[in-house]
Amino acid sequence: IGLEPPERRIGQLGHDLQMAAGTRKLILTRALRNGTAPTVASRWLQRLLAVGGPSLANDLRSRGRDLIDWAGRIDQGQSVPNAPRPSPKPPAELQPKKYSFSEVGRLRRDPYAIYARHILRLDPIAPFNLDPGPAERGSLYHRIVDRFVREEKTGEPLSLIDRILHEEFDAVALPPHIDAVW
C-alpha cells in the first residue's frame, strides 16, 4: 500500500545528524553510564574513532575536558534545601466518596495525583509536539474508509477516494515527516 520501510526513518535520522554536524560549533556527547551500568559507544562513534585513529580520539577527549569541567562546576554551587513535599489536606466534604479500582493503587503511590484530579479538577496536559501514533493513524484510516463507504458513489471511485484522502489528511494537518509516510 505504499508504506515506507522502517529502515528509511533510520537512514533519515542518520542523514539529519550528518547535516547538523556541518555547523561551525558542534558538541557531540555520549553518556558513559546509564544508571550504574556502563554504556557502549554507538557504532557511528566507534567507526569514527577507528578511522581517525588514536590521535583523533585523544584530540576529542582533550577538547572535551574543558566542557566536562564546566559541567562539573554546576554541581559545586551552594546547597539549597529541597522544598517540602506537598501534603494537601482538603476538607472532608471535598474529598471523593468513591475510588475506582485503579485509583486505589494510585492513592497509595501518589495521593497528590488524586488530589489534583478530584479536588482541583486538573487534567493532565498532553505532551508538547508529540508525533501522532498508531491510535491516531488508525482513527484517520477508519474515518477515510467510513466516509468512502457512506458517501454516494457518483463518478469514478478512485477520484472519490482521492478527494476523501486529501480532505482528511488536510484536516489533521500532520507534520511533514509523518504525512509523507502515512
Side-chain angles (χ1 to χ4, degrees), residues 3 132-149 151 161-175 178-182:
L3 297 177
E136 292 83 7
R137 183 180 193 168
S139 296
L140 174 63
Y141 288 174
H142 280 277
R143 278 196 312 275
I144 291 167
V145 171
D146 182 60
R147 281 191 55 192
F148 182 72
V149 170
E151 289 191 17
I161 192 72
D162 189 51
R163 179 178 56 80
I164 293 171
L165 282 168
H166 281 88
E167 289 173 2
E168 289 294 331
F169 272 83
D170 289 346
V172 294
L174 295 169
I178 300 289
D179 189 55
V181 175
W182 285 14

PDB file of all heavy atoms in Angstrom, residues 3 132-149 151 161-175 178-182:
ATOM      1  N   LEU A   3       3.632   2.012   1.965  1.00  0.00           N
ATOM      2  CA  LEU A   3       4.233   2.477   3.209  1.00  0.00           C
ATOM      3  C   LEU A   3       5.756   2.389   3.115  1.00  0.00           C
ATOM      4  O   LEU A   3       6.299   1.481   2.495  1.00  0.00           O
ATOM      5  CB  LEU A   3       3.751   1.624   4.386  1.00  0.00           C
ATOM      6  CG  LEU A   3       2.254   1.676   4.676  1.00  0.00           C
ATOM      7  CD1 LEU A   3       1.911   0.737   5.813  1.00  0.00           C
ATOM      8  CD2 LEU A   3       1.829   3.088   5.023  1.00  0.00           C
ATOM      9  N   PRO A 132       1.961  11.965  16.162  1.00  0.00           N
ATOM     10  CA  PRO A 132       0.819  11.061  16.255  1.00  0.00           C
ATOM     11  C   PRO A 132       1.287   9.615  16.195  1.00  0.00           C
ATOM     12  O   PRO A 132       2.260   9.287  15.524  1.00  0.00           O
ATOM     13  CB  PRO A 132      -0.035  11.433  15.043  1.00  0.00           C
ATOM     14  CG  PRO A 132       0.855  12.198  14.135  1.00  0.00           C
ATOM     15  CD  PRO A 132       1.940  12.784  14.967  1.00  0.00           C
ATOM     16  N   GLY A 133       0.574   8.750  16.885  1.00  0.00           N
ATOM     17  CA  GLY A 133       0.967   7.350  16.970  1.00  0.00           C
ATOM     18  C   GLY A 133      -0.017   6.434  16.256  1.00  0.00           C
ATOM     19  O   GLY A 133      -0.850   6.872  15.449  1.00  0.00           O
ATOM     20  N   PRO A 134       0.050   5.141  16.580  1.00  0.00           N
ATOM     21  CA  PRO A 134      -0.811   4.161  15.920  1.00  0.00           C
ATOM     22  C   PRO A 134      -2.307   4.424  16.122  1.00  0.00           C
ATOM     23  O   PRO A 134      -3.102   4.190  15.210  1.00  0.00           O
ATOM     24  CB  PRO A 134      -0.406   2.832  16.553  1.00  0.00           C
ATOM     25  CG  PRO A 134       0.941   3.061  17.119  1.00  0.00           C
ATOM     26  CD  PRO A 134       1.018   4.520  17.462  1.00  0.00           C
ATOM     27  N   ALA A 135      -2.696   4.913  17.297  1.00  0.00           N
ATOM     28  CA  ALA A 135      -4.121   5.171  17.538  1.00  0.00           C
ATOM     29  C   ALA A 135      -4.639   6.265  16.607  1.00  0.00           C
ATOM     30  O   ALA A 135      -5.717   6.133  16.013  1.00  0.00           O
ATOM     31  CB  ALA A 135      -4.345   5.564  19.002  1.00  0.00           C
ATOM     32  N   GLU A 136      -3.874   7.348  16.469  1.00  0.00           N
ATOM     33  CA  GLU A 136      -4.291   8.438  15.573  1.00  0.00           C
ATOM     34  C   GLU A 136      -4.285   7.975  14.114  1.00  0.00           C
ATOM     35  O   GLU A 136      -5.161   8.350  13.335  1.00  0.00           O
ATOM     36  CB  GLU A 136      -3.362   9.645  15.736  1.00  0.00           C
ATOM     37  CG  GLU A 136      -3.482  10.339  17.071  1.00  0.00           C
ATOM     38  CD  GLU A 136      -2.680   9.691  18.181  1.00  0.00           C
ATOM     39  OE1 GLU A 136      -1.908   8.757  17.905  1.00  0.00           O
ATOM     40  OE2 GLU A 136      -2.844  10.110  19.325  1.00  0.00           O
ATOM     41  N   ARG A 137      -3.319   7.162  13.773  1.00  0.00           N
ATOM     42  CA  ARG A 137      -3.246   6.634  12.407  1.00  0.00           C
ATOM     43  C   ARG A 137      -4.465   5.762  12.117  1.00  0.00           C
ATOM     44  O   ARG A 137      -5.100   5.891  11.076  1.00  0.00           O
ATOM     45  CB  ARG A 137      -1.959   5.827  12.251  1.00  0.00           C
ATOM     46  CG  ARG A 137      -1.732   5.293  10.871  1.00  0.00           C
ATOM     47  CD  ARG A 137      -0.426   4.515  10.842  1.00  0.00           C
ATOM     48  NE  ARG A 137      -0.005   4.234   9.507  1.00  0.00           N
ATOM     49  CZ  ARG A 137       1.181   3.785   9.182  1.00  0.00           C
ATOM     50  NH1 ARG A 137       2.081   3.581  10.115  1.00  0.00           N
ATOM     51  NH2 ARG A 137       1.490   3.526   7.943  1.00  0.00           N
ATOM     52  N   GLY A 138      -4.802   4.875  13.051  1.00  0.00           N
ATOM     53  CA  GLY A 138      -5.967   4.011  12.875  1.00  0.00           C
ATOM     54  C   GLY A 138      -7.257   4.798  12.771  1.00  0.00           C
ATOM     55  O   GLY A 138      -8.124   4.497  11.942  1.00  0.00           O
ATOM     56  N   SER A 139      -7.391   5.839  13.616  1.00  0.00           N
ATOM     57  CA  SER A 139      -8.599   6.671  13.569  1.00  0.00           C
ATOM     58  C   SER A 139      -8.723   7.376  12.220  1.00  0.00           C
ATOM     59  O   SER A 139      -9.816   7.450  11.654  1.00  0.00           O
ATOM     60  CB  SER A 139      -8.573   7.715  14.692  1.00  0.00           C
ATOM     61  OG  SER A 139      -8.603   7.086  15.936  1.00  0.00           O
ATOM     62  N   LEU A 140      -7.605   7.876  11.714  1.00  0.00           N
ATOM     63  CA  LEU A 140      -7.612   8.541  10.408  1.00  0.00           C
ATOM     64  C   LEU A 140      -8.035   7.569   9.316  1.00  0.00           C
ATOM     65  O   LEU A 140      -8.904   7.874   8.495  1.00  0.00           O
ATOM     66  CB  LEU A 140      -6.229   9.119  10.109  1.00  0.00           C
ATOM     67  CG  LEU A 140      -6.031   9.727   8.718  1.00  0.00           C
ATOM     68  CD1 LEU A 140      -6.951  10.930   8.519  1.00  0.00           C
ATOM     69  CD2 LEU A 140      -4.580  10.111   8.511  1.00  0.00           C
ATOM     70  N   TYR A 141      -7.441   6.385   9.296  1.00  0.00           N
ATOM     71  CA  TYR A 141      -7.783   5.393   8.270  1.00  0.00           C
ATOM     72  C   TYR A 141      -9.248   4.969   8.380  1.00  0.00           C
ATOM     73  O   TYR A 141      -9.931   4.787   7.378  1.00  0.00           O
ATOM     74  CB  TYR A 141      -6.868   4.177   8.370  1.00  0.00           C
ATOM     75  CG  TYR A 141      -5.448   4.426   7.917  1.00  0.00           C
ATOM     76  CD1 TYR A 141      -4.479   3.450   8.059  1.00  0.00           C
ATOM     77  CD2 TYR A 141      -5.057   5.640   7.360  1.00  0.00           C
ATOM     78  CE1 TYR A 141      -3.169   3.670   7.644  1.00  0.00           C
ATOM     79  CE2 TYR A 141      -3.758   5.866   6.956  1.00  0.00           C
ATOM     80  CZ  TYR A 141      -2.819   4.882   7.087  1.00  0.00           C
ATOM     81  OH  TYR A 141      -1.538   5.092   6.685  1.00  0.00           O
ATOM     82  N   HIS A 142      -9.740   4.809   9.606  1.00  0.00           N
ATOM     83  CA  HIS A 142     -11.146   4.425   9.783  1.00  0.00           C
ATOM     84  C   HIS A 142     -12.084   5.515   9.279  1.00  0.00           C
ATOM     85  O   HIS A 142     -13.118   5.210   8.666  1.00  0.00           O
ATOM     86  CB  HIS A 142     -11.424   4.103  11.258  1.00  0.00           C
ATOM     87  CG  HIS A 142     -10.982   2.729  11.649  1.00  0.00           C
ATOM     88  ND1 HIS A 142     -11.739   1.612  11.425  1.00  0.00           N
ATOM     89  CD2 HIS A 142      -9.836   2.303  12.226  1.00  0.00           C
ATOM     90  CE1 HIS A 142     -11.099   0.545  11.861  1.00  0.00           C
ATOM     91  NE2 HIS A 142      -9.930   0.936  12.352  1.00  0.00           N
ATOM     92  N   ARG A 143     -11.741   6.778   9.548  1.00  0.00           N
ATOM     93  CA  ARG A 143     -12.581   7.874   9.036  1.00  0.00           C
ATOM     94  C   ARG A 143     -12.609   7.865   7.511  1.00  0.00           C
ATOM     95  O   ARG A 143     -13.655   8.101   6.898  1.00  0.00           O
ATOM     96  CB  ARG A 143     -12.067   9.226   9.545  1.00  0.00           C
ATOM     97  CG  ARG A 143     -12.514   9.573  10.941  1.00  0.00           C
ATOM     98  CD  ARG A 143     -12.311  11.047  11.264  1.00  0.00           C
ATOM     99  NE  ARG A 143     -11.007  11.572  10.933  1.00  0.00           N
ATOM    100  CZ  ARG A 143      -9.931  11.491  11.716  1.00  0.00           C
ATOM    101  NH1 ARG A 143     -10.012  10.876  12.877  1.00  0.00           N
ATOM    102  NH2 ARG A 143      -8.786  12.013  11.334  1.00  0.00           N
ATOM    103  N   ILE A 144     -11.462   7.599   6.890  1.00  0.00           N
ATOM    104  CA  ILE A 144     -11.392   7.576   5.425  1.00  0.00           C
ATOM    105  C   ILE A 144     -12.265   6.459   4.877  1.00  0.00           C
ATOM    106  O   ILE A 144     -13.075   6.667   3.966  1.00  0.00           O
ATOM    107  CB  ILE A 144      -9.930   7.431   4.964  1.00  0.00           C
ATOM    108  CG1 ILE A 144      -9.152   8.715   5.283  1.00  0.00           C
ATOM    109  CG2 ILE A 144      -9.859   7.104   3.479  1.00  0.00           C
ATOM    110  CD1 ILE A 144      -7.653   8.571   5.148  1.00  0.00           C
ATOM    111  N   VAL A 145     -12.124   5.267   5.430  1.00  0.00           N
ATOM    112  CA  VAL A 145     -12.921   4.127   4.948  1.00  0.00           C
ATOM    113  C   VAL A 145     -14.398   4.361   5.216  1.00  0.00           C
ATOM    114  O   VAL A 145     -15.256   4.086   4.366  1.00  0.00           O
ATOM    115  CB  VAL A 145     -12.430   2.810   5.597  1.00  0.00           C
ATOM    116  CG1 VAL A 145     -13.376   1.659   5.282  1.00  0.00           C
ATOM    117  CG2 VAL A 145     -11.015   2.493   5.151  1.00  0.00           C
ATOM    118  N   ASP A 146     -14.733   4.902   6.404  1.00  0.00           N
ATOM    119  CA  ASP A 146     -16.128   5.169   6.742  1.00  0.00           C
ATOM    120  C   ASP A 146     -16.753   6.152   5.763  1.00  0.00           C
ATOM    121  O   ASP A 146     -17.864   5.934   5.270  1.00  0.00           O
ATOM    122  CB  ASP A 146     -16.207   5.714   8.172  1.00  0.00           C
ATOM    123  CG  ASP A 146     -17.634   5.965   8.604  1.00  0.00           C
ATOM    124  OD1 ASP A 146     -18.419   4.990   8.608  1.00  0.00           O
ATOM    125  OD2 ASP A 146     -17.966   7.130   8.925  1.00  0.00           O
ATOM    126  N   ARG A 147     -16.026   7.220   5.467  1.00  0.00           N
ATOM    127  CA  ARG A 147     -16.566   8.200   4.501  1.00  0.00           C
ATOM    128  C   ARG A 147     -16.721   7.572   3.125  1.00  0.00           C
ATOM    129  O   ARG A 147     -17.703   7.837   2.427  1.00  0.00           O
ATOM    130  CB  ARG A 147     -15.644   9.421   4.424  1.00  0.00           C
ATOM    131  CG  ARG A 147     -15.841  10.380   5.585  1.00  0.00           C
ATOM    132  CD  ARG A 147     -15.133  11.670   5.370  1.00  0.00           C
ATOM    133  NE  ARG A 147     -15.490  12.320   4.122  1.00  0.00           N
ATOM    134  CZ  ARG A 147     -14.833  13.345   3.602  1.00  0.00           C
ATOM    135  NH1 ARG A 147     -13.766  13.821   4.216  1.00  0.00           N
ATOM    136  NH2 ARG A 147     -15.210  13.902   2.464  1.00  0.00           N
ATOM    137  N   PHE A 148     -15.764   6.764   2.711  1.00  0.00           N
ATOM    138  CA  PHE A 148     -15.835   6.139   1.387  1.00  0.00           C
ATOM    139  C   PHE A 148     -17.053   5.221   1.290  1.00  0.00           C
ATOM    140  O   PHE A 148     -17.729   5.190   0.263  1.00  0.00           O
ATOM    141  CB  PHE A 148     -14.552   5.355   1.099  1.00  0.00           C
ATOM    142  CG  PHE A 148     -14.539   4.722  -0.261  1.00  0.00           C
ATOM    143  CD1 PHE A 148     -14.384   5.499  -1.398  1.00  0.00           C
ATOM    144  CD2 PHE A 148     -14.680   3.354  -0.407  1.00  0.00           C
ATOM    145  CE1 PHE A 148     -14.368   4.929  -2.652  1.00  0.00           C
ATOM    146  CE2 PHE A 148     -14.680   2.770  -1.655  1.00  0.00           C
ATOM    147  CZ  PHE A 148     -14.522   3.558  -2.784  1.00  0.00           C
ATOM    148  N   VAL A 149     -17.340   4.488   2.363  1.00  0.00           N
ATOM    149  CA  VAL A 149     -18.487   3.571   2.355  1.00  0.00           C
ATOM    150  C   VAL A 149     -19.800   4.344   2.395  1.00  0.00           C
ATOM    151  O   VAL A 149     -20.761   3.987   1.714  1.00  0.00           O
ATOM    152  CB  VAL A 149     -18.388   2.591   3.547  1.00  0.00           C
ATOM    153  CG1 VAL A 149     -19.666   1.797   3.718  1.00  0.00           C
ATOM    154  CG2 VAL A 149     -17.201   1.663   3.363  1.00  0.00           C
ATOM    155  N   GLU A 151     -20.453   7.746   1.631  1.00  0.00           N
ATOM    156  CA  GLU A 151     -20.749   8.776   0.635  1.00  0.00           C
ATOM    157  C   GLU A 151     -21.296   8.151  -0.638  1.00  0.00           C
ATOM    158  O   GLU A 151     -20.976   7.026  -0.997  1.00  0.00           O
ATOM    159  CB  GLU A 151     -19.497   9.616   0.344  1.00  0.00           C
ATOM    160  CG  GLU A 151     -19.155  10.514   1.510  1.00  0.00           C
ATOM    161  CD  GLU A 151     -18.093  11.547   1.171  1.00  0.00           C
ATOM    162  OE1 GLU A 151     -17.852  11.790  -0.027  1.00  0.00           O
ATOM    163  OE2 GLU A 151     -17.533  12.108   2.123  1.00  0.00           O
ATOM    164  N   ILE A 161     -12.141   8.435  -3.586  1.00  0.00           N
ATOM    165  CA  ILE A 161     -11.216   8.115  -2.504  1.00  0.00           C
ATOM    166  C   ILE A 161     -10.068   9.126  -2.463  1.00  0.00           C
ATOM    167  O   ILE A 161      -9.600   9.510  -1.395  1.00  0.00           O
ATOM    168  CB  ILE A 161     -10.695   6.660  -2.594  1.00  0.00           C
ATOM    169  CG1 ILE A 161      -9.972   6.246  -1.291  1.00  0.00           C
ATOM    170  CG2 ILE A 161      -9.733   6.469  -3.740  1.00  0.00           C
ATOM    171  CD1 ILE A 161     -10.849   6.034  -0.132  1.00  0.00           C
ATOM    172  N   ASP A 162      -9.643   9.600  -3.621  1.00  0.00           N
ATOM    173  CA  ASP A 162      -8.583  10.608  -3.675  1.00  0.00           C
ATOM    174  C   ASP A 162      -9.043  11.902  -2.998  1.00  0.00           C
ATOM    175  O   ASP A 162      -8.295  12.498  -2.218  1.00  0.00           O
ATOM    176  CB  ASP A 162      -8.188  10.858  -5.133  1.00  0.00           C
ATOM    177  CG  ASP A 162      -6.956  11.733  -5.237  1.00  0.00           C
ATOM    178  OD1 ASP A 162      -5.948  11.410  -4.580  1.00  0.00           O
ATOM    179  OD2 ASP A 162      -7.008  12.752  -5.965  1.00  0.00           O
ATOM    180  N   ARG A 163     -10.282  12.319  -3.276  1.00  0.00           N
ATOM    181  CA  ARG A 163     -10.811  13.532  -2.654  1.00  0.00           C
ATOM    182  C   ARG A 163     -10.923  13.355  -1.140  1.00  0.00           C
ATOM    183  O   ARG A 163     -10.523  14.229  -0.354  1.00  0.00           O
ATOM    184  CB  ARG A 163     -12.188  13.867  -3.236  1.00  0.00           C
ATOM    185  CG  ARG A 163     -12.819  15.115  -2.615  1.00  0.00           C
ATOM    186  CD  ARG A 163     -14.164  15.458  -3.234  1.00  0.00           C
ATOM    187  NE  ARG A 163     -15.144  14.388  -3.194  1.00  0.00           N
ATOM    188  CZ  ARG A 163     -15.884  14.084  -2.107  1.00  0.00           C
ATOM    189  NH1 ARG A 163     -15.730  14.762  -0.989  1.00  0.00           N
ATOM    190  NH2 ARG A 163     -16.770  13.117  -2.165  1.00  0.00           N
ATOM    191  N   ILE A 164     -11.428  12.196  -0.683  1.00  0.00           N
ATOM    192  CA  ILE A 164     -11.571  11.937   0.754  1.00  0.00           C
ATOM    193  C   ILE A 164     -10.207  11.928   1.434  1.00  0.00           C
ATOM    194  O   ILE A 164     -10.023  12.513   2.506  1.00  0.00           O
ATOM    195  CB  ILE A 164     -12.316  10.599   0.987  1.00  0.00           C
ATOM    196  CG1 ILE A 164     -13.768  10.723   0.521  1.00  0.00           C
ATOM    197  CG2 ILE A 164     -12.261  10.188   2.451  1.00  0.00           C
ATOM    198  CD1 ILE A 164     -14.533   9.412   0.511  1.00  0.00           C
ATOM    199  N   LEU A 165      -9.238  11.280   0.788  1.00  0.00           N
ATOM    200  CA  LEU A 165      -7.885  11.237   1.355  1.00  0.00           C
ATOM    201  C   LEU A 165      -7.329  12.645   1.547  1.00  0.00           C
ATOM    202  O   LEU A 165      -6.809  12.977   2.617  1.00  0.00           O
ATOM    203  CB  LEU A 165      -6.948  10.438   0.438  1.00  0.00           C
ATOM    204  CG  LEU A 165      -7.055   8.924   0.513  1.00  0.00           C
ATOM    205  CD1 LEU A 165      -6.297   8.286  -0.637  1.00  0.00           C
ATOM    206  CD2 LEU A 165      -6.538   8.419   1.837  1.00  0.00           C
ATOM    207  N   HIS A 166      -7.435  13.469   0.523  1.00  0.00           N
ATOM    208  CA  HIS A 166      -6.906  14.827   0.625  1.00  0.00           C
ATOM    209  C   HIS A 166      -7.632  15.629   1.708  1.00  0.00           C
ATOM    210  O   HIS A 166      -7.003  16.354   2.483  1.00  0.00           O
ATOM    211  CB  HIS A 166      -6.982  15.542  -0.724  1.00  0.00           C
ATOM    212  CG  HIS A 166      -5.888  15.133  -1.654  1.00  0.00           C
ATOM    213  ND1 HIS A 166      -6.003  14.047  -2.489  1.00  0.00           N
ATOM    214  CD2 HIS A 166      -4.649  15.636  -1.848  1.00  0.00           C
ATOM    215  CE1 HIS A 166      -4.884  13.915  -3.179  1.00  0.00           C
ATOM    216  NE2 HIS A 166      -4.036  14.863  -2.804  1.00  0.00           N
ATOM    217  N   GLU A 167      -8.948  15.506   1.776  1.00  0.00           N
ATOM    218  CA  GLU A 167      -9.703  16.258   2.784  1.00  0.00           C
ATOM    219  C   GLU A 167      -9.346  15.822   4.203  1.00  0.00           C
ATOM    220  O   GLU A 167      -9.155  16.647   5.090  1.00  0.00           O
ATOM    221  CB  GLU A 167     -11.207  16.096   2.538  1.00  0.00           C
ATOM    222  CG  GLU A 167     -11.702  16.824   1.309  1.00  0.00           C
ATOM    223  CD  GLU A 167     -13.156  16.518   0.977  1.00  0.00           C
ATOM    224  OE1 GLU A 167     -13.810  15.758   1.736  1.00  0.00           O
ATOM    225  OE2 GLU A 167     -13.647  17.032  -0.044  1.00  0.00           O
ATOM    226  N   GLU A 168      -9.259  14.507   4.431  1.00  0.00           N
ATOM    227  CA  GLU A 168      -8.965  14.009   5.777  1.00  0.00           C
ATOM    228  C   GLU A 168      -7.531  14.331   6.195  1.00  0.00           C
ATOM    229  O   GLU A 168      -7.289  14.716   7.328  1.00  0.00           O
ATOM    230  CB  GLU A 168      -9.227  12.500   5.871  1.00  0.00           C
ATOM    231  CG  GLU A 168     -10.704  12.132   5.834  1.00  0.00           C
ATOM    232  CD  GLU A 168     -11.474  12.635   7.046  1.00  0.00           C
ATOM    233  OE1 GLU A 168     -10.883  12.765   8.147  1.00  0.00           O
ATOM    234  OE2 GLU A 168     -12.679  12.897   6.901  1.00  0.00           O
ATOM    235  N   PHE A 169      -6.580  14.158   5.273  1.00  0.00           N
ATOM    236  CA  PHE A 169      -5.200  14.473   5.617  1.00  0.00           C
ATOM    237  C   PHE A 169      -5.017  15.970   5.843  1.00  0.00           C
ATOM    238  O   PHE A 169      -4.262  16.381   6.725  1.00  0.00           O
ATOM    239  CB  PHE A 169      -4.234  13.972   4.531  1.00  0.00           C
ATOM    240  CG  PHE A 169      -3.781  12.554   4.751  1.00  0.00           C
ATOM    241  CD1 PHE A 169      -4.563  11.484   4.342  1.00  0.00           C
ATOM    242  CD2 PHE A 169      -2.576  12.290   5.370  1.00  0.00           C
ATOM    243  CE1 PHE A 169      -4.145  10.181   4.550  1.00  0.00           C
ATOM    244  CE2 PHE A 169      -2.142  10.989   5.585  1.00  0.00           C
ATOM    245  CZ  PHE A 169      -2.946   9.928   5.172  1.00  0.00           C
ATOM    246  N   ASP A 170      -5.709  16.801   5.066  1.00  0.00           N
ATOM    247  CA  ASP A 170      -5.637  18.247   5.287  1.00  0.00           C
ATOM    248  C   ASP A 170      -6.242  18.625   6.637  1.00  0.00           C
ATOM    249  O   ASP A 170      -5.761  19.532   7.310  1.00  0.00           O
ATOM    250  CB  ASP A 170      -6.349  19.003   4.162  1.00  0.00           C
ATOM    251  CG  ASP A 170      -5.581  18.937   2.848  1.00  0.00           C
ATOM    252  OD1 ASP A 170      -4.396  18.547   2.869  1.00  0.00           O
ATOM    253  OD2 ASP A 170      -6.183  19.267   1.799  1.00  0.00           O
ATOM    254  N   ALA A 171      -7.308  17.911   7.040  1.00  0.00           N
ATOM    255  CA  ALA A 171      -7.992  18.228   8.296  1.00  0.00           C
ATOM    256  C   ALA A 171      -7.109  17.932   9.512  1.00  0.00           C
ATOM    257  O   ALA A 171      -7.125  18.680  10.486  1.00  0.00           O
ATOM    258  CB  ALA A 171      -9.297  17.443   8.401  1.00  0.00           C
ATOM    259  N   VAL A 172      -6.322  16.855   9.466  1.00  0.00           N
ATOM    260  CA  VAL A 172      -5.489  16.520  10.623  1.00  0.00           C
ATOM    261  C   VAL A 172      -4.164  17.266  10.622  1.00  0.00           C
ATOM    262  O   VAL A 172      -3.521  17.362  11.663  1.00  0.00           O
ATOM    263  CB  VAL A 172      -5.237  14.997  10.757  1.00  0.00           C
ATOM    264  CG1 VAL A 172      -6.512  14.260  11.066  1.00  0.00           C
ATOM    265  CG2 VAL A 172      -4.582  14.435   9.533  1.00  0.00           C
ATOM    266  N   ALA A 173      -3.743  17.806   9.496  1.00  0.00           N
ATOM    267  CA  ALA A 173      -2.515  18.609   9.379  1.00  0.00           C
ATOM    268  C   ALA A 173      -1.332  17.935  10.073  1.00  0.00           C
ATOM    269  O   ALA A 173      -0.787  18.436  11.045  1.00  0.00           O
ATOM    270  CB  ALA A 173      -2.744  20.008   9.947  1.00  0.00           C
ATOM    271  N   LEU A 174      -0.945  16.794   9.564  1.00  0.00           N
ATOM    272  CA  LEU A 174       0.173  16.041  10.126  1.00  0.00           C
ATOM    273  C   LEU A 174       1.496  16.752   9.867  1.00  0.00           C
ATOM    274  O   LEU A 174       1.623  17.473   8.883  1.00  0.00           O
ATOM    275  CB  LEU A 174       0.238  14.649   9.479  1.00  0.00           C
ATOM    276  CG  LEU A 174      -0.940  13.724   9.763  1.00  0.00           C
ATOM    277  CD1 LEU A 174      -0.879  12.508   8.855  1.00  0.00           C
ATOM    278  CD2 LEU A 174      -0.927  13.287  11.209  1.00  0.00           C
ATOM    279  N   PRO A 175       2.482  16.530  10.741  1.00  0.00           N
ATOM    280  CA  PRO A 175       3.825  17.062  10.439  1.00  0.00           C
ATOM    281  C   PRO A 175       4.335  16.452   9.140  1.00  0.00           C
ATOM    282  O   PRO A 175       3.997  15.320   8.811  1.00  0.00           O
ATOM    283  CB  PRO A 175       4.669  16.579  11.631  1.00  0.00           C
ATOM    284  CG  PRO A 175       3.694  16.160  12.685  1.00  0.00           C
ATOM    285  CD  PRO A 175       2.418  15.824  11.995  1.00  0.00           C
ATOM    286  N   ILE A 178       5.635  12.858   9.011  1.00  0.00           N
ATOM    287  CA  ILE A 178       4.628  11.820   9.227  1.00  0.00           C
ATOM    288  C   ILE A 178       3.716  11.735   8.010  1.00  0.00           C
ATOM    289  O   ILE A 178       3.370  10.652   7.543  1.00  0.00           O
ATOM    290  CB  ILE A 178       3.789  12.127  10.497  1.00  0.00           C
ATOM    291  CG1 ILE A 178       4.672  12.189  11.733  1.00  0.00           C
ATOM    292  CG2 ILE A 178       2.676  11.125  10.667  1.00  0.00           C
ATOM    293  CD1 ILE A 178       5.223  10.876  12.196  1.00  0.00           C
ATOM    294  N   ASP A 179       3.335  12.892   7.486  1.00  0.00           N
ATOM    295  CA  ASP A 179       2.418  12.940   6.341  1.00  0.00           C
ATOM    296  C   ASP A 179       2.974  12.170   5.144  1.00  0.00           C
ATOM    297  O   ASP A 179       2.247  11.450   4.475  1.00  0.00           O
ATOM    298  CB  ASP A 179       2.157  14.412   5.966  1.00  0.00           C
ATOM    299  CG  ASP A 179       1.046  14.551   4.942  1.00  0.00           C
ATOM    300  OD1 ASP A 179      -0.052  14.036   5.202  1.00  0.00           O
ATOM    301  OD2 ASP A 179       1.300  15.151   3.885  1.00  0.00           O
ATOM    302  N   ALA A 180       4.270  12.308   4.907  1.00  0.00           N
ATOM    303  CA  ALA A 180       4.883  11.647   3.753  1.00  0.00           C
ATOM    304  C   ALA A 180       4.831  10.135   3.883  1.00  0.00           C
ATOM    305  O   ALA A 180       4.648   9.423   2.892  1.00  0.00           O
ATOM    306  CB  ALA A 180       6.335  12.094   3.604  1.00  0.00           C
ATOM    307  N   VAL A 181       4.957   9.625   5.108  1.00  0.00           N
ATOM    308  CA  VAL A 181       4.946   8.175   5.314  1.00  0.00           C
ATOM    309  C   VAL A 181       3.529   7.635   5.342  1.00  0.00           C
ATOM    310  O   VAL A 181       3.245   6.598   4.747  1.00  0.00           O
ATOM    311  CB  VAL A 181       5.679   7.824   6.646  1.00  0.00           C
ATOM    312  CG1 VAL A 181       5.573   6.347   6.956  1.00  0.00           C
ATOM    313  CG2 VAL A 181       7.123   8.250   6.560  1.00  0.00           C
ATOM    314  N   TRP A 182       2.617   8.316   6.018  1.00  0.00           N
ATOM    315  CA  TRP A 182       1.240   7.825   6.141  1.00  0.00           C
ATOM    316  C   TRP A 182       0.523   7.900   4.812  1.00  0.00           C
ATOM    317  O   TRP A 182      -0.325   7.163   4.493  1.00  0.00           O
ATOM    318  CB  TRP A 182       0.500   8.610   7.184  1.00  0.00           C
ATOM    319  CG  TRP A 182       0.884   8.261   8.586  1.00  0.00           C
ATOM    320  CD1 TRP A 182       1.976   7.549   8.984  1.00  0.00           C
ATOM    321  CD2 TRP A 182       0.196   8.613   9.772  1.00  0.00           C
ATOM    322  NE1 TRP A 182       2.010   7.444  10.342  1.00  0.00           N
ATOM    323  CE2 TRP A 182       0.921   8.090  10.849  1.00  0.00           C
ATOM    324  CE3 TRP A 182      -0.957   9.317  10.031  1.00  0.00           C
ATOM    325  CZ2 TRP A 182       0.515   8.259  12.164  1.00  0.00           C
ATOM    326  CZ3 TRP A 182      -1.347   9.487  11.328  1.00  0.00           C
ATOM    327  CH2 TRP A 182      -0.617   8.971  12.391  1.00  0.00           C
TER     328      TRP A 182
END
